[in-house]
Amino acid sequence: MAELTALESLIEMGFPRGRAEKALALTGNQGIEAAMDWLMEHEDDPDVDEPLETPLGHILGREPTPTEQGPESVVGESKPVLTEEERQEQTKRMLELVAQKQREREEREEREALERERQRRRQGQELSAARQRLQEDEMRRAAEERRREKAEELAARQRVREKIERDKAERAKKYGGHGGSQPCPPTTEPGPVPSSPGKEPPTKREYDQCRIQVRLPDGSSLTQTFRAREQLAAVRLYVELHRGEELGGGQDPVQLLSGFPRRAFSEADMERPLQELGLVPSAVLIVAKKCPG
């Protein structure tokens, strides 16, 4: 019986009897190679050693004989006897077949491992490229945000400059004519007259512009050029628009002082031209908080 010879060969090769019988039955008793292929493919299955529910004879395509139903059913009644030399030769062929199947399986697993590694590398490259694109997009958005903030800052500075110019124009329009019609009493500049009464100082030269440097309480300074006939109030407005948080951030008025000679300018002085106050062609003013009352 061919199937019994194949069963014995599988047992001789080291396969358990139940597993060998199951392999032969499930492969339709098509030979030892088919059974070995099944055993190699299902050796890691958790139910590989579980017995079949259907009788072996039905799976093999025949009815089980009374001998197969007994305890010696797998042996058969007319089993051919093999010599020791034939048995060794058959075992050798089977071992070679097992080794060949094992090599084929290892080669297949190696090819599958190489394919998985190529897939992993390809996915890694795609992930790296996606990460690079994301980083470039973030850098581009950050650059656009910086350009937008810079444009907004420039626009804000331009609005402040325009407001200063409008305020200066309005004050010049409101006080320019009146301030020009005010008499210039000679007693307001008594400094050079007593020292050299016979000499006419060169202050009669008409200056069109006046350069004012304003020193703030925090040690910083502001420098701006005004027209000579512009009121002192324009200087105070410029300081209030450009001073820092230390002076109140544009909330409280400030007091302007002159250093040499020491002088505190009053509200009446705010409406007087810079030329009339002796601040032309240049002067240094000191800023202090205006005391209440």
Side-chain angles (χ1 to χ4, degrees), residues 252-280:
D252 301 326
V254 298
Q255 178 74 45
L256 296 179
L257 309 173
S258 63
F260 301 100
R262 188 76 173 182
R263 176 183 177 184
F265 295 100
S266 63
E267 284 298 323
D269 293 331
M270 293 297 133
E271 298 183 0
R272 298 176 61 186
L274 300 176
Q275 187 178 28
E276 182 179 333
L277 294 173
L279 301 178
V280 177

Side-chain angles (χ1 to χ4, degrees), residues 214-217 232 236 239-240 243 247 252-258 263-267 269-270 285-292:
V214 182
R215 294 180 181 176
L216 302 178
L232 184 60
R236 182 172 66 179
V239 173
E240 291 175 351
R243 61 184 174 172
L247 295 176
D252 301 326
V254 298
Q255 178 74 45
L256 296 179
L257 309 173
S258 63
R263 176 183 177 184
F265 295 100
S266 63
E267 284 298 323
D269 293 331
M270 293 297 133
L285 300 180
I286 302 173
V287 174
K289 287 186 177 180
K290 187 174 181 180
C291 298

